[in-house]
């Protein structure tokens, strides 16, 4: 089942080798065994089993709704789900049960997918570690892999293996960890500055950021409306194409989705890359880029070259401004989007009731963490009348320049860009928290952020392991709405690099300790 | 004492007459049970997005065209931020940068004296018309220290019409608003009933000496009728003049009109000047409108708003209607104003004219003097009139055929008001009001009178 949805699990379900209920139960069991990963905020056991039951009935009748029928999936906890809490990992929405499903959630359910639960994230998707939510940090499953353990040098006997665990990256860390640890076959994340690709790289899974406007944001609790997209996390590129096919298309409820009809596609098995032109943007050789990743990137470029593709160095001169630009535009939109959280209509409401204003202030102080409050303050500052021109308008102009960089490069004959996704492999949690959220975000977003500025599609493909035995990924950035070309190339690359399967060492919930078995389901 | 020049500008919010709200599908309805017309978007549930209502766009285009505005083929939406209980999202979606219509004008008329005998036409420039969301309603319950919030109105579409400070007194402001109200009602873009909050007017008032720069202006709110608008503006002008003549200064503040006391009072201070932190609304693309020239061939007519198409279908505006009435019926312009000013009166008049041989020029007198004054005295609308157009026409026919005198007709009318269901003819017979035309009969009556008064006659 490592091969994924399209060819193996779905086939297995269709042929009755495994039933949706069995599949669901195994996933639920594994979720329990991997609880220490803290990947899930809410596990919807009852409803998932019901959905699996319904799916099973359909398979028995020979009428599955789609390739996704009966497939267990997880959804990041910033997507609205009926009947299941949507918290955004924040005190502000603890206990909040939405009356409507996000469009993407509804689409998955309409196609028979089984919703296992909601995954953990940085509070309101602000962060690059999945460490700053009220339910605690998410642990990277690779922390518990044989690959990592073999390479880690025990510091002292007293030091617990526990304290050595590495972060998932963020902010969709829970979804990435869930896919990586086999508790689901696909997961939804969100991507505003890299929040799907970054944890995908650290957790060794495929993370797709679609073109802005291709997939509906209706029901995705927004961070930056002009940059957010729903992200797709899967174990292989083929699977991401399947999920993309089930989600993309115009939504009348989201006025920023394009009107054009979307045609789901099957990825061809590309064998000849001689017609492909790969661009290597020199500015992505960013300060702090680890030598390992640099070497891997170089190796990948050579791989394409040797296979006959045209590989050329290109320049995206405004790359270095994207972080600062992002900071201004992001915080401004955050300040605006968070204004609705006042405790009146839903969510946390403070007991302070001396006046409406004091209630608002107390509610927001109690409901939001420092990161959120910090961004709100910054954003409001940039939106003040006296600052608007110098900050917001300026940032909009710089954004246009960044987007134009890509237009120029793609216009010059380059098909796809190849870049690193992250600066290094996943950091140990204890090290990561030595710097604050803002610093970490600024560091980690540098390679992923520009694609959000320009609205372009981008994908992380797990490429190899670091010296510490942790995943390293590389990023492909494509042209607007050219997901088919992007994924075709990504799939070819994936085939070449043959990223190893995680050898997860986990105590099974019901059967005691167990180790990786190469053939059985998802271990 | 140097003369003062008062300057009056108006900001008018007209609720758009549509089935659903500006950005969501919940219904628009007056006086529904609290919080019964609230969609997820109206309640600002996280993750909901605005979807523009086409009918609201059409209403704004119609209104812009009727007010001689340039319609912007591309206009933008913005967020205006402030915290208040009746604003669930913490911001209002409006059009601050580029509104849908700009640079128009409105002509209105005033009578120079009280008798409606001489009218003068004035013009006020329309700065712009913008689409924006209405807020909900909040009621402050001070006894229980709580605020009650009703979101039924939150998100209803509004057209904000900004009138430049070209007016100089309460009467002008009132006449301008009255004309705007008639236009909106004729277009159907707003029902514009002030009592139901469908038309809200804020006045900006200042005074200065001729030749000097404009004075500090105050904003006057809480004006609930056109009559109060005139009062509020005139009071504020007086207040400012007195204040300045006594050596005081005018504060740039917001004042509320107190209709019971007939004066303006400072509103609760909103803690200094608000910075609304305007930001483009990222969830709505620019609003693109087309005309016949720019309309792309492949676009479905249902998917776009075509300014020319709307222009072709505009109904006759009040000014055109009035001119037509004058031409068709030979009545005076002042008459046409009164006809249009009263809801249903034009129709009534035209119905009477249809059913009688009396010339419209004469009918109008009966309509405006007798019928209207009676209705006003008894606070009745034309629709509530106990005398129908049919009955009045009937009566006027008797008069026209000289079967009764004019004095008798008035007597009959007085009876008809009672609404007892009698026809004019029945009343005439009852009260023996018939005019006698027969020469012999008249001679007999006169002879009888003379015979009965022998003494006086001889003398």
């Amino acid at each position: 089942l490592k091969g994924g949805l399209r060819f193996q699990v779905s086939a297995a379900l269709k042929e009755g080798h495994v039933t949706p209920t069995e599949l669901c139960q195994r996933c639920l069991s594994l979720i329990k065994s991997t609880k220490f990963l803290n990947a899930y905020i809410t596990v919807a056991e009852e409803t998932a089993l019901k959905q699996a039951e319904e799916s099973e009935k359909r398979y028995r009748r020979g009428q599955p709704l789609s390739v996704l029928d009966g497939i267990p999936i997880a959804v990041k906890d910033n997507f609205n789900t009926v009947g299941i809490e949507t918290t955004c990992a924040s005190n502000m929405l603890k206990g909040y049960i939405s009356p409507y499903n996000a469009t993407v959630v509804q689409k998955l359910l309409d196609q028979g997918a089984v919703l296992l639960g909601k995954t953990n994230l940085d509070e309101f998707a602000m962060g690059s570690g999945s460490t700053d939510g009220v339910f605690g940090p998410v642990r990277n499953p690779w922390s518990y892999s044989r690959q990592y353990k073999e390479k880690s040098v025990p510091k002292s006997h007293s030091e617990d293996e526990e304290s050595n665990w590495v972060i998932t990256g963020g902010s969709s860390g829970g979804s990435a960890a869930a896919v990586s640890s086999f508790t689901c076959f696909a997961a939804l994340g969100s991507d505003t500055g890299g929040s799907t690709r970054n944890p995908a790289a650290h957790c060794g899974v495929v993370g797709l950021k679609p073109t802005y406007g291709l997939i509906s944001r209706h029901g995705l609790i927004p961070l930056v409306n002009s940059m957010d997209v729903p992200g797709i996390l899967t174990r292989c590129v083929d699977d991401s194409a399947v999920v993309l096919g089930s989600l993309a298309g115009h939504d009348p409820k989201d006025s920023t989705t394009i009107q054009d009809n979307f045609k789901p596609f099957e990825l061809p098995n590309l064998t000849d890359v001689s017609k492909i032109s790969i661009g290597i943007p020199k500015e992505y050789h960013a300060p702090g880029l680890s030598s390992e990743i640099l070497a891997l990137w170089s190796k990948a470029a050579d791989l394409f070259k040797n296979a006959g593709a045209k590989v050329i160095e290109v320049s995206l001169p405004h790359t270095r401004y994207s972080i600062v630009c992002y900071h201004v535009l992001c915080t401004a939109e955050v300040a605006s989007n968070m204004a609705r959280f006042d405790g009146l209509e839903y969510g946390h409401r403070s007991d302070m009731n001396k006046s409406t204003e004091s209630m608002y202030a107390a509610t927001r102080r109690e409901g939001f963490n420092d990161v959120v409050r910090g961004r709100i303050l910054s954003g409001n500052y940039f939106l003040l009348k006296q600052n608007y021109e110098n900050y917001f308008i300026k940032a909009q102009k710089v954004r246009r320049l960044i987007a134009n960089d890509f237009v120029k490069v793609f216009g010059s004959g380059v098909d796809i860009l190849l870049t690193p996704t992250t600066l290094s492999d996943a950091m140990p949690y204890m090290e990561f928290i030595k710097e604050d959220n803002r610093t970490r975000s600024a560091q980690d977003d540098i390679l992923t952020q520009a694609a959000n500025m320009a609205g372009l599609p981008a994908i992380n493909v797990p490429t190899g392991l670091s010296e510490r035995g942790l995943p390293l990924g590389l990023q492909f950035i494509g042209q607007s709405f050219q997901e088919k070309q992007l994924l075709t190339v990504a799939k070819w690359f994936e085939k070449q690099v043959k990223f190893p399967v995680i050898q997860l060492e986990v105590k099974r919930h019901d059967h005691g300790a167990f180790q990786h078995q190469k053939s059985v389901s998802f271990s | 004492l140097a003369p003062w020049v008062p300057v009056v500008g108006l900001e008018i919010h007209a609720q758009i007459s549509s089935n659903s709200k500006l950005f969501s599908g919940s219904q628009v309805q007056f006086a529904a049970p609290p919080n019964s017309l609230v969609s997820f978007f109206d309640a600002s549930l996280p993750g909901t997005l605005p979807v523009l209502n086409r009918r609201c766009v059409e209403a704004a285009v119609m209104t812009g065209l009727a007010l001689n505005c340039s319609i912007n083929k591309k206009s933008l939406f913005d967020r205006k931020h402030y915290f208040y209980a009746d604003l669930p999202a913490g911001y209002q979606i409006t059009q601050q940068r580029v509104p849908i219509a700009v640079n128009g004008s409105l002509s209105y008329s005033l009578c120079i004296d009280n008798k409606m005998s001489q009218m003068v036409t004035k013009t006020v420039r329309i700065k712009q018309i913008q689409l924006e969301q209405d807020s909900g309603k909040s009621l402050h319950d001070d006894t229980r220290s709580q605020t009650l919030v009703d979101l039924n109105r939150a998100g209803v579409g509004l057209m904000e019409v900004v009138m430049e400070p070209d007016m100089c007194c309460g009467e002008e402001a009132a006449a301008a608003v009255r004309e705007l109200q008639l236009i909106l009602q004729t277009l159907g873009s707003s029902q514009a009933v002030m009592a139901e909050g469908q038309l809200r007017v804020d006045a900006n008032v200042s005074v200065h000496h001729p030749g000097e720069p404009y004075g500090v202006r105050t904003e006057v709110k809480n004006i609930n009728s056109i009559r109060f608008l005139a009062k509020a503006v005139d009071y504020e002008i007086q207040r400012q003049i007195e204040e300045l003549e006594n050596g005081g200064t005018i504060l740039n503040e917001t004042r509320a009109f107190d209709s019971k006391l007939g004066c303006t009072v400072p509103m609760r201070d909103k803690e200094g000047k608000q910075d609304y932190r305007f930001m483009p609304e990222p969830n709505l693309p620019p609003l693109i409108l087309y005309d016949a020239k720019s309309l792309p061939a492949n676009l479905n007519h249902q998917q776009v708003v075509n300014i020319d198409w709307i222009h072709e279908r505009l109904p006759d505006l009040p000014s055109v209607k009035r001119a037509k009435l004058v031409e068709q019926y030979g009545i005076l312009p002042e008459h046409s104003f009164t006809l249009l000013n009263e809801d249903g009166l034009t129709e009534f008049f035209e119905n009477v004219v249809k059913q009688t041989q009396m010339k419209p020029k004469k009918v109008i007198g009966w309509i405006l003097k007798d019928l209207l004054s009676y209705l006003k005295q008894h606070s009745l609308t034309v629709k509530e009139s106990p005398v129908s157009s049919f009955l009045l026409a009937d009566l006027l026919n008797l008069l026209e055929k000289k079967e009764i005198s004019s004095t008798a007709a008035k007597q009959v009318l007085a009876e008809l008001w009672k609404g007892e269901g009698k026809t004019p003819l029945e009343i005439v017979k009852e009260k023996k009001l018939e005019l006698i035309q027969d020469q012999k009969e008249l001679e007999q009556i006169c002879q009888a009178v003379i015979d009965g008064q022998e003494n006086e006659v001889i003398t």
Side-chain angles (χ1 to χ4, degrees):
Chain A
L1 270 77
K2 227 51 63 328
L5 300 165
R6 191 76 184 86
F7 301 114
Q8 283 180 262
V9 176
S10 300
L13 284 172
K14 234 180 172 170
E15 280 150 41
H17 295 319
V18 65
T19 67
T21 316
E22 278 167 353
L23 210 53
C24 181
Q25 278 166 344
R26 287 189 203 178
C27 286
L28 289 171
S29 165
L30 196 53
I31 291 174
K32 289 194 183 97
S33 313
T34 55
K35 205 164 177 194
F36 54 88
L37 293 177
N38 204 17
Y40 288 81
I41 293 175
T42 306
V43 180
E45 184 157 338
E46 250 184 72
T47 53
L49 286 169
K50 266 199 209 112
Q51 286 163 5
E53 229 181 272
E54 292 300 310
S55 171
E56 199 156 311
K57 288 187 195 150
R58 292 190 291 265
Y59 271 106
R60 270 194 237 127
R61 290 198 302 265
Q63 293 171 338
L65 290 168
S66 73
V67 162
L68 291 177
D69 204 326
I71 302 292
I73 52 142
V75 166
K76 186 175 181 181
D77 208 12
N78 59 354
F79 286 90
N80 279 269
T81 47
V82 172
I84 304 172
E85 245 181 275
T86 302
T87 67
C88 293
S90 174
N91 279 323
M92 191 59 91
L93 289 178
K94 242 186 191 163
Y96 174 68
I97 301 199
S98 170
Y100 76 100
N101 279 326
T103 296
V104 290
V105 170
Q106 192 60 54
K107 282 188 166 182
L108 290 173
L109 292 175
D110 286 345
Q111 293 181 59
V114 172
L115 179 52
L116 292 172
K118 310 294 287 297
T119 57
N120 205 349
L121 60 155
D122 284 301
E123 181 162 338
F124 279 108
M126 299 184 205
S128 59
S130 304
T131 52
D132 278 324
V134 294
F135 298 104
V138 185
R139 298 187 184 196
N140 192 327
W142 284 82
S143 315
Y144 304 94
S145 68
R146 190 184 299 165
Q147 288 107 326
Y148 178 61
K149 287 184 190 166
E150 276 170 2
K151 297 291 179 76
S152 61
V153 179
K155 296 214 174 89
S156 68
H157 288 297
S158 59
E159 196 176 78
D160 200 9
E161 161 187 276
E162 292 293 292
S163 65
N164 223 10
W165 59 270
V166 300
I167 58 167
T168 51
S171 61
S172 312
S175 281
V179 173
S180 171
S181 60
F182 308 108
T183 60
C184 64
F185 285 84
L188 290 185
S190 65
D191 196 311
T192 308
S195 288
T196 289
R197 292 161 284 157
N198 174 297
H202 287 318
C203 293
V205 297
V206 171
L208 170 63
K209 175 213 170 293
T211 310
Y212 183 88
L214 183 60
I215 298 186
S216 173
R217 290 181 299 112
H218 168 75
L220 166 60
I221 297 176
L223 175 58
V224 183
N225 286 292
S226 64
M227 298 184 206
D228 291 349
V229 292
I232 298 171
L233 295 138
T234 54
R235 286 204 277 281
C236 65
V237 176
D238 266 329
D239 287 355
S240 67
V242 171
V243 179
L244 179 70
S246 71
L247 296 181
H250 176 64
D251 183 8
K253 294 192 187 116
D254 178 351
S255 307
T256 60
T257 53
I258 52 158
Q259 303 270 353
D260 305 357
N261 280 326
F262 174 79
K263 292 191 200 81
F265 49 80
E266 253 194 61
L267 289 181
N269 272 317
L270 189 66
T271 44
D272 175 22
V273 294
S274 58
K275 295 198 183 67
I276 309 280
S277 168
I278 305 285
I280 309 287
K282 63 182 188 195
E283 290 84 3
Y284 279 63
H285 188 344
L289 191 65
S290 79
S291 48
E292 277 189 309
I293 293 200
L294 187 57
L296 197 68
W297 187 17
S298 194
K299 208 166 148 196
D302 288 339
L303 192 69
F304 277 99
K305 214 181 291 179
N306 295 336
K310 186 167 166 216
V311 179
I312 54 171
E313 190 187 74
V314 296
S315 174
L316 300 168
H318 297 93
T319 303
R320 64 196 167 114
Y321 302 119
S322 90
I323 287 297
V324 166
C325 177
Y326 176 69
H327 178 72
V328 172
L329 296 178
C330 170
T331 54
E333 286 214 33
V334 163
S336 179
N337 291 332
M338 296 298 143
R340 64 188 57 210
F341 295 103
D342 54 21
L344 272 191
E345 299 85 10
Y346 48 81
H348 173 68
R349 182 196 286 212
S350 169
D351 290 330
M352 163 65 71
N353 61 359
K354 287 211 192 92
S355 69
T356 310
E357 257 143 33
S358 64
M359 190 273 279
Y360 277 18
T363 294
R364 291 161 71 78
R365 185 179 57 247
E366 293 162 16
F368 292 138
N369 72 3
D370 280 352
V371 177
V372 178
R373 288 179 9 240
R375 293 200 194 188
I376 292 173
L377 287 171
S378 302
N380 278 326
Y381 176 79
F382 297 134
L383 290 176
L384 288 175
K385 216 169 175 177
Q386 72 251 34
N387 294 330
Y388 186 73
E389 184 74 36
N390 286 334
Y391 290 94
F392 192 87
I393 297 284
K394 270 279 158 57
Q396 294 274 50
K397 292 179 177 174
V398 172
R399 182 177 182 176
R400 173 63 61 198
L401 293 176
I402 293 169
N404 283 344
D405 279 357
F406 287 99
V407 171
K408 280 198 202 103
V409 163
F410 287 130
S412 70
V414 169
D415 297 311
I416 307 269
L417 297 170
L418 169 62
T419 79
T421 313
T422 56
L423 294 174
S424 67
D425 60 4
M427 220 183 270
Y429 175 72
M430 298 307 283
E431 200 186 314
F432 184 79
I433 56 174
K434 284 188 188 152
E435 299 278 6
D436 65 30
N437 182 295
R438 164 125 169 71
T439 308
R440 288 300 183 206
S441 296
Q443 291 165 346
D444 299 331
D445 287 347
I446 196 147
L447 301 166
T448 47
Q449 213 297 300
N452 297 86
M453 286 289 195
L456 297 172
I459 187 169
N460 172 76
V461 180
T463 309
L465 293 182
S466 69
E467 269 168 28
R468 289 159 63 218
L470 294 171
L472 296 172
L474 290 177
Q475 171 178 241
F476 293 91
I477 303 175
Q479 299 173 62
S480 270
F481 301 107
Q482 302 302 315
E483 271 80 353
K484 186 171 180 188
Q485 182 184 58
L486 176 68
L487 293 178
T488 301
V489 172
K491 178 175 167 178
W492 179 87
F493 182 72
E494 175 188 60
K495 231 181 183 172
Q496 310 306 313
V497 300
K498 297 193 186 52
F499 182 78
V501 177
I502 183 176
Q503 290 166 18
L504 200 54
E505 294 179 345
V506 161
K507 278 189 167 69
R508 265 278 284 272
H509 173 74
D510 45 354
H511 296 313
F514 105 127
Q515 288 189 331
H516 165 70
Q517 312 262 329
K518 73 175 170 199
S519 61
V520 171
S521 46
F522 35 77
S523 28
Chain B
L1 280 166
W4 289 100
V5 179
V7 175
V8 181
L10 299 175
E11 268 164 38
I12 300 158
H13 288 90
Q15 241 184 33
I16 298 174
S17 174
S18 60
N19 289 329
S20 54
K21 297 185 180 179
L22 183 55
F23 296 116
S24 69
S26 42
Q27 231 194 317
V28 178
Q29 198 190 309
F30 182 66
N35 293 313
S36 60
L37 304 170
V38 185
S39 67
F40 298 153
F41 174 77
D42 302 334
S44 78
L45 294 196
T48 53
L49 299 169
V51 180
L52 184 55
N53 178 336
R54 184 211 170 98
R55 156 68 189 162
C56 292
V57 174
E58 290 171 347
V61 171
M62 265 196 278
T63 306
L65 291 171
L67 294 176
N68 307 305
C69 296
S70 307
I71 307 295
N72 282 327
K73 293 224 192 77
K74 178 173 164 183
S75 61
L76 306 171
F77 291 100
D78 304 288
R79 293 184 181 180
K80 176 180 180 182
H81 300 87
Y82 61 94
F83 285 102
Y84 206 69
D86 61 18
L87 197 68
Y91 59 83
Q92 175 202 38
I93 301 179
T94 177
Q95 292 189 301
Q96 188 244 1
R97 288 167 295 158
V98 185
I100 192 167
V102 291
N103 297 338
S105 65
L106 169 70
S107 291
Y108 61 97
S109 293
L110 299 173
C111 27
I112 293 205
D113 58 29
N114 276 332
K115 288 182 235 159
M116 290 288 287
S117 59
Q118 230 191 316
M119 305 212 78
V120 61
T121 303
K122 298 222 166 187
T123 310
V124 58
R125 290 167 299 157
I126 304 291
K127 178 165 184 236
Q128 64 188 51
I129 300 176
Q130 63 200 57
L131 281 168
E132 58 185 36
Q133 295 174 300
D134 207 344
S135 64
K137 282 207 187 119
S138 57
L139 304 158
H140 300 290
D141 180 1
D142 288 321
T143 38
R144 288 193 202 84
S145 284
Q146 60 184 12
T147 300
L148 306 167
V149 182
D150 176 12
L151 296 180
N152 281 349
R153 202 184 65 179
V156 171
L158 294 176
M159 293 176 286
E160 180 176 325
V161 179
V162 182
M163 290 187 183
E164 299 276 27
D166 296 341
M167 296 160 282
C168 71
C169 62
E171 200 190 355
E172 287 191 358
V177 171
R178 181 66 187 123
E179 187 66 9
L180 176 66
Q181 198 178 34
L182 286 174
I183 291 175
L184 293 171
Q185 288 166 350
T186 303
L187 293 172
S189 56
S190 171
Q191 286 163 37
V193 175
M194 275 181 94
E196 292 184 5
Q198 292 161 343
L199 193 71
R200 286 166 243 157
V201 183
D202 299 332
N204 292 315
V205 180
S206 72
V207 297
H208 64 277
H209 290 302
E212 285 181 22
Y214 280 19
V216 174
R217 65 159 198 241
T218 62
E219 190 187 13
V220 183
K221 284 173 149 353
N222 195 39
I223 298 167
N224 298 326
S225 73
I226 295 188
R227 204 165 54 90
F228 286 153
L229 171 62
K231 277 203 167 135
V233 167
D234 287 337
Y235 173 87
E236 182 59 18
I237 291 171
Q238 259 325 106
R239 184 194 75 86
Q240 289 193 10
I241 291 175
E242 276 167 26
E243 184 69 35
L244 291 170
E245 282 182 349
N246 287 333
T249 50
I250 305 299
L251 295 171
N252 176 215
E253 60 176 354
T254 305
R255 298 176 73 87
F257 180 64
D258 184 324
S259 52
K260 290 203 187 92
L261 299 174
C263 65
T264 63
V265 294
M267 279 180 85
R268 239 176 299 160
D269 187 24
K270 279 186 189 166
E271 285 172 43
K273 276 213 163 149
Q274 281 261 29
D275 190 325
Y276 293 112
R277 290 161 286 129
F278 286 98
M279 185 186 92
E281 169 55 68
N283 292 316
L284 291 168
L287 174 59
I288 308 290
L289 304 174
Y290 298 90
D291 56 24
K293 254 191 262 173
S294 67
L295 192 62
N298 59 331
L299 269 185
N300 185 358
H301 147 86
Q302 299 288 349
Q303 289 287 330
V304 301
V305 171
N306 183 339
I307 300 168
D308 287 339
W309 192 87
I310 293 176
H311 207 304
E312 282 158 23
R313 283 156 187 75
L314 285 180
D316 277 348
L317 292 183
S319 52
V320 172
K321 278 192 195 165
R322 285 189 286 254
K324 280 187 177 172
L325 287 171
V326 168
E327 207 201 296
Q328 190 177 356
Y329 300 113
I331 58 178
L332 295 176
E334 302 88 87
H335 297 160
S336 70
F337 268 92
T338 315
L339 280 182
L340 255 67
N341 252 351
E342 288 307 318
D343 200 23
L345 193 59
T346 307
E347 204 186 357
F348 193 100
F349 167 69
E350 291 190 298
N351 281 339
V352 172
V353 165
K354 267 188 227 150
Q355 297 171 88
T356 178
Q357 295 93 27
M358 183 183 281
K359 287 228 170 68
K361 263 185 184 168
K362 279 178 80 178
V363 174
I364 194 75
W366 287 90
I367 298 287
L368 297 184
K369 283 187 219 138
D370 301 89
L371 178 82
L372 195 59
S373 61
Y374 179 84
L375 291 176
K376 291 288 172 201
Q377 258 176 52
H378 297 258
S379 298
L380 294 171
T381 61
V382 173
K383 286 193 178 70
E384 294 165 339
S385 171
V387 179
S388 67
S389 59
F390 175 76
L391 283 179
L392 184 59
D394 215 16
L395 173 62
L396 295 180
N397 280 338
L398 291 178
L399 181 58
E400 196 63 7
K401 284 188 267 186
K402 295 200 189 347
E403 289 181 32
I404 54 175
S405 69
S406 159
T407 325
K410 289 206 202 287
Q411 276 183 270
V412 175
L413 192 53
E415 273 299 308
L416 284 174
W417 288 131
K418 292 185 188 157
E420 286 165 0
K422 299 186 201 147
T423 67
L425 197 56
E426 284 166 358
I427 297 172
V428 164
K429 290 223 161 82
E430 223 181 78
K431 295 197 183 265
K432 299 204 196 332
L433 294 170
E434 306 93 321
L435 264 185
I436 303 170
Q437 306 275 31
D438 188 321
Q439 187 82 351
K440 275 215 183 111
E441 215 186 323
L442 284 171
E443 277 181 12
Q444 277 176 5
I445 293 173
C446 291
Q447 194 59 52
V449 170
I450 292 170
D451 293 343
Q453 308 290 328
E454 266 186 25
N455 298 329
E456 282 80 352
V457 171
I458 289 169
T459 330

